[in-house]
Amino acid sequence: METIALSRRDLLRASLSTGGGLMVALQLPGCASLPQGMETNSLRPNAWLEVTPDNRVILTLDRVEMGQGTYTGMCTLLAEELDVDPASIEVVFAPVDSAYEQPDFGLQITGGSTSLSSNWVRLREAGAMGRAMLVAAAAQVWNAPASSIITEHSVCRLREGGPSLSYGELAELASRQPTPTDITLKSTADYRYIGKFNQRLDASLKSFGRADFGIDVQLPDMLYAMMARPPAAGRALRALDDQAARNMPGVVAVIQVPRGVAVVADKYWRARQARDKLKIEWDAGELGALDTASIFDLYRQTLDTESGDTVRSEGDVESALASTSERMTAEYRAPFLAHATMEPQNCTVWFRDGRCDVWAPTQGPDVARAVARRECGLSAADIHIHTTFIGGGFGRRLSQDFVGEAVSIAQHFDRPVKLIWSREEDIQHDLFRPASLHRLTAALSPGGEALAWTHDIAAPRVIDHYAKEAAGAVAPTWAPQAMVRMAAGVAKMVTPDQSAYEGAEDVPYAIPHIRVRHMKADSGVPISYWRSVGHSFNAFVVESFIDELAHHARQDPLAYREQLLRDHPRHLRVLRAAAQKADWHGALAPGRARGVACHKSFGTYVAQVAEVSVENDAIRVHRVVCAVDCGLAVNPDTVIAQMQGGVIFGLTAALYGEITHTQGAVRQSNFHDYPVLRMNETPEIDVVLVGGDAAPTGVGEPGTPPIAPAVANAVFRLTGRRLRDLPLRLKT
């Protein structure tokens, strides 16, 4: 038998993944864990910070920047404790390294609106550690106590008005100081940048074209690839006539790869034109007969026949239902949705000198490495992921199908190959937000008081689709692919997945008897995480149905919520702040109405009031007031921008978003039939920050869930029609 040397970390990982467990630990590793290529005389106290002798302060960013502001937020946290101007910090994107794993997930991924909250302590500690070592070096130079040294703007100064040394001048000496074991962080009252710094540090890079996105990668002698994929997932190649494509100018090769047929040429447009000349026959496949109606028939049958998993049970629902004949029931439906990122999927791969270099706009560089390894068979050490700026992620780039395709193509060449997806491919071959079907029942007292609440959800589990990729990143780097495949199968069985019912199981309203159940129903349509995940549809369902109960009780929907949220002060705070800013009880222009919704997701509380009109059955949203409690706002302008972006993203889905299927294939193809909200349709958006000094929570996603129910509730107040299907349509 071959003897394999296991490190302690690998052994722990193997045993934990087998048992379905997760170990979380704060890591502040020393220089041995750091990426290669840093300055030899630099101060490198941990995995995030480097101070060079030429006075550069460098942050290794362990979360990707895809427009959500992590670049600025992370710089602000580091700068606060290091006492440097955030704008002076240089940023490099982290390589794949266990030091940069997201502690809650055990993967090096950017998602779940956790980037800033998961680094709230450790990045400040990283800065404080560096500052302490610089101060210790200055104290040694001046033979003075550390308490007599002041730090500000990358300088150590001996008392006010005394001699000074720059951080760069102290860097080498500081690197030889003992690593501090006790780190004291600033109090809130002493913050110089947190909560106050509002400059967007990547704005200039992006405005003047200096930010390199994945699609911008240019390498010497590069080739371009386009893919021909089966129209429906799971269909296989039956016959191929590629002669016409091979005869096109600039075409280098036509290659069959696991996900279809690749055309490789010297220019992108030539590859695309040649791809369109391919004559391909695909077999019927498992999803060949699938259409939208049959998917929801499956969901409905599942609700009719399955008991599912009870994810919340309080009181005695059955007795409460039996105690009264006064009931309300409703069925809600949410469709599949595409991500439609501004930058379509792309990846550049270069095999050379026994190694594989991958340039990708990925939300999960360690998952990307695992997928590349699966495709080419090289060791993890020989695969190098270069993360770029990302032109929108929304969860789409947590999945690495585009990386797998590029690697499977590029391994046939000794030149770099860039794979680019067209907009049509990006929509039709997306990994979609799951569709779902919901049934709700409320038992009511004669006076309209809610006695019981049941919510049954038919939807797939995202982890069942994502486990194959995630398992490769979690598995030890020495694990053979057979073991990775086995681990993926185990992960699907043992990994909890709240994606179908998050935002439904924690309904905050004071109803004495509550039951929430999830019935797994999976049509086989490829799915993945989408901005705010299950909250995106469960907020719509819960906040619409609570509005129905308010109407049945003949109560103002705001007052009804306030009474039922009496034990949830942060919900009440945002609800009242939004209502006050929107002038809830104030007069409106003729033909307009207001609707309200309140929802907590990713630790953040958001309430929104939408002001709506209807003309010729077309819904128009004129104004949205959004109140948010995300704890301490590290960069207030970023929080406001993310709430505005979340509203626009959610409103696009609420009014237009729908992916439908015929014979297993997606009907939509581009923005003409999968539209996004245009500038002239965008409402005035007022954001009210009501957070205090609590630790910050996520802001990338929580602005999205409440907008659909707020609009739907406003439409009901205006027209008397209750819209229970997304997207919201008055004309069917």
Side-chain angles (χ1 to χ4, degrees):
M1 293 179 62
E2 181 182 1
T3 301
I4 301 176
L6 292 180
S7 69
R8 183 169 177 267
R9 176 174 177 272
D10 282 344
L11 183 61
L12 283 170
R13 278 200 153 194
S15 59
L16 285 170
S17 60
T18 301
L22 177 66
M23 180 177 69
V24 178
L26 176 67
Q27 292 185 351
L28 287 173
C31 302
S33 300
L34 293 172
Q36 298 294 317
M38 290 187 169
E39 294 286 342
T40 55
N41 297 321
S42 293
L43 168 63
R44 301 187 297 270
N46 49 66
W48 293 272
L49 172 63
E50 180 184 11
V51 180
T52 69
D54 57 355
N55 213 35
R56 296 160 60 211
V57 176
I58 302 170
L59 167 65
T60 297
L61 187 65
D62 61 4
R63 300 292 168 262
V64 299
E65 175 56 63
M66 51 186 169
Q68 81 280 37
T70 57
Y71 191 109
T72 303
M74 302 301 192
C75 286
T76 304
L77 296 183
L78 185 74
E80 185 63 73
E81 297 294 342
L82 189 59
D83 280 337
V84 303
D85 183 345
S88 70
I89 296 176
E90 299 177 35
V91 174
V92 296
F93 296 135
V96 178
D97 192 289
S98 61
Y100 304 121
E101 289 175 356
Q102 204 283 357
D104 296 331
F105 302 146
L107 294 168
Q108 192 177 332
I109 62 176
T110 303
S113 296
T114 60
S115 294
L116 196 141
S117 60
S118 66
N119 277 310
W120 167 242
V121 173
R122 68 180 183 181
L123 260 187
R124 287 186 299 142
E125 287 189 340
M129 182 182 291
R131 177 185 174 277
M133 295 174 75
L134 289 161
V135 167
Q140 183 177 335
V141 170
W142 292 317
N143 193 25
S147 59
S148 67
I149 295 172
I150 302 167
T151 57
E152 59 180 357
H153 304 302
S154 303
V155 167
C156 285
R157 188 179 304 279
L158 182 61
R159 300 180 301 275
E160 193 69 38
S164 65
L165 289 168
S166 72
Y167 283 1
E169 291 172 310
L170 291 166
E172 183 176 358
L173 181 59
S175 70
R176 298 198 293 269
Q177 302 301 313
T179 302
T181 56
D182 295 323
I183 301 172
T184 301
L185 300 179
K186 290 182 181 179
S187 66
T188 304
D190 294 328
Y191 288 162
R192 181 178 298 171
Y193 302 112
I194 292 176
K196 302 168 186 177
F197 184 77
N198 278 331
Q199 183 178 347
R200 183 69 185 247
L201 296 178
D202 54 339
S204 175
L205 295 173
K206 293 175 178 177
S207 299
F208 293 97
R210 295 195 301 272
D212 288 326
F213 294 82
I215 208 164
D216 296 325
V217 171
Q218 294 292 327
L219 296 172
D221 203 24
M222 189 166 67
L223 297 171
Y224 295 82
M226 286 290 291
M227 281 284 297
R229 302 173 186 84
R235 296 177 67 175
L237 183 69
R238 176 182 291 166
L240 169 66
D241 180 355
D242 60 4
Q243 192 59 49
R246 289 181 180 276
N247 291 335
M248 294 284 288
V251 172
V252 175
V254 177
I255 307 168
Q256 293 186 38
V257 292
R259 293 196 67 202
V261 180
V263 177
V264 182
D266 59 350
K267 298 182 183 300
Y268 166 77
W269 191 246
R270 285 178 166 178
R272 179 166 178 166
Q273 287 179 310
R275 190 275 313 271
D276 293 342
K277 294 290 186 181
L278 294 174
K279 297 178 181 179
I280 302 178
E281 293 182 22
W282 307 97
D283 67 15
E286 295 180 359
L287 304 183
L290 194 71
D291 60 26
T292 299
S294 67
I295 292 170
F296 281 99
D297 285 344
L298 168 67
Y299 288 4
R300 194 163 287 109
Q301 181 182 7
T302 302
L303 289 176
D304 289 340
T305 60
E306 302 291 334
S307 58
D309 296 321
T310 299
V311 297
R312 180 177 178 182
S313 180
E314 291 183 7
D316 188 341
V317 168
E318 296 303 329
S319 295
L321 290 172
S323 69
T324 178
S325 60
E326 191 75 17
R327 297 184 186 181
M328 288 188 62
T329 61
E331 187 172 283
Y332 285 83
R333 190 170 96 160
F336 292 103
L337 292 176
H339 296 79
T341 59
M342 181 63 71
E343 177 190 16
Q345 310 318 307
N346 63 88
C347 181
T348 303
V349 180
W350 193 357
F351 283 87
R352 52 177 172 162
D353 302 326
R355 60 182 274 165
C356 170
D357 286 274
V358 178
W359 290 263
T362 172
Q363 290 178 244
D366 57 345
V367 183
R369 185 178 70 176
V371 169
R373 184 179 174 219
R374 182 188 71 205
E375 294 296 327
C376 71
L378 291 179
S379 69
D382 292 325
I383 299 172
H384 303 270
I385 306 297
H386 308 276
T387 305
T388 66
F389 280 99
I390 298 177
F394 315 126
R396 173 62 180 92
R397 290 178 162 101
L398 288 169
S399 298
Q400 310 299 315
D401 52 332
F402 57 100
V403 173
E405 287 183 347
V407 171
S408 68
I409 298 166
Q411 64 184 327
H412 296 278
F413 302 92
D414 58 5
R415 298 161 61 181
V417 178
K418 179 192 283 189
L419 171 70
I420 302 176
W421 291 35
S422 67
R423 177 62 61 194
E424 290 80 5
E425 291 172 305
D426 200 48
I427 289 178
Q428 294 189 319
H429 298 280
D430 200 349
L431 305 171
F432 304 101
R433 195 281 303 269
S436 58
L437 188 65
H438 306 252
R439 283 184 184 162
L440 295 97
T441 299
L444 308 168
S445 72
E449 178 186 0
L451 303 175
W453 170 291
T454 71
H455 184 176
D456 291 345
I457 305 164
R461 290 176 8 123
V462 175
I463 193 65
D464 291 349
H465 294 250
Y466 191 66
K468 180 181 178 182
E469 296 190 357
V474 174
T477 55
W478 52 262
Q481 288 302 307
M483 183 181 293
V484 173
R485 289 192 295 271
M486 183 174 65
V490 172
K492 289 170 62 174
M493 292 186 289
V494 304
T495 304
D497 183 358
Q498 298 179 334
S499 61
Y501 54 84
E502 58 185 359
E505 93 288 0
D506 60 347
V507 56
Y509 297 107
I511 300 170
H513 307 282
I514 297 177
R515 185 188 68 209
V516 181
R517 298 186 299 187
H518 170 227
M519 289 75 165
K520 178 183 171 181
D522 197 332
S523 64
V525 172
I527 59 172
S528 188
Y529 300 96
W530 190 89
R531 191 176 190 174
S532 76
V533 203
H535 294 282
S536 65
F537 47 76
N538 283 316
F540 168 66
V541 174
V542 170
E543 284 299 295
S544 294
F545 195 57
I546 205 74
D547 222 66
E548 294 200 48
L549 300 189
H551 176 72
H552 182 83
R554 296 182 175 85
Q555 292 188 31
D556 175 85
L558 174 64
Y560 189 80
R561 285 175 170 81
E562 288 180 321
Q563 194 273 332
L564 291 178
L565 290 171
R566 55 187 177 269
D567 297 325
H568 293 271
R570 295 181 77 174
H571 281 88
L572 276 173
R573 189 180 184 190
V574 293
L575 186 64
R576 288 169 174 165
Q580 180 180 6
K581 181 69 174 179
D583 192 16
W584 176 259
H585 296 292
L588 278 165
R592 295 192 185 184
R594 297 186 183 100
V596 65
C598 182
H599 191 74
K600 176 191 175 185
S601 61
F602 308 99
T604 293
Y605 302 78
V606 177
Q608 293 174 359
V609 175
E611 184 177 320
V612 170
S613 69
V614 173
E615 184 175 351
N616 297 325
D617 288 331
I619 300 169
R620 177 68 188 268
V621 182
H622 299 273
R623 184 187 184 206
V624 175
V625 173
C626 174
V628 55
D629 175 1
C630 60
L632 179 62
V634 173
N635 295 100
D637 276 4
T638 297
V639 176
I640 292 170
Q642 283 301 292
M643 291 302 113
Q644 292 169 333
V647 167
I648 293 170
F649 193 84
L651 191 55
T652 291
L655 298 180
Y656 302 126
E658 185 178 30
I659 290 293
T660 57
H661 293 81
T662 299
Q663 294 182 333
V666 173
R667 294 176 186 168
Q668 291 72 24
S669 63
N670 208 315
F671 291 136
H672 69 286
D673 53 8
Y674 192 79
V676 296
L677 201 70
R678 295 179 179 271
M679 291 181 68
N680 67 318
E681 300 171 299
T682 302
E684 173 189 354
I685 304 173
D686 295 325
V687 179
V688 183
L689 305 182
V690 298
D693 293 336
T697 50
V699 297
E701 297 168 274
T704 294
I707 187 61
V711 171
N713 294 337
V715 170
F716 175 77
R717 297 186 84 190
L718 187 63
T719 67
R721 293 181 59 182
R722 183 67 66 181
L723 303 180
R724 298 190 180 100
D725 292 354
L726 291 172
L728 303 173
R729 295 191 181 112
L730 286 164
K731 184 184 293 183
T732 57

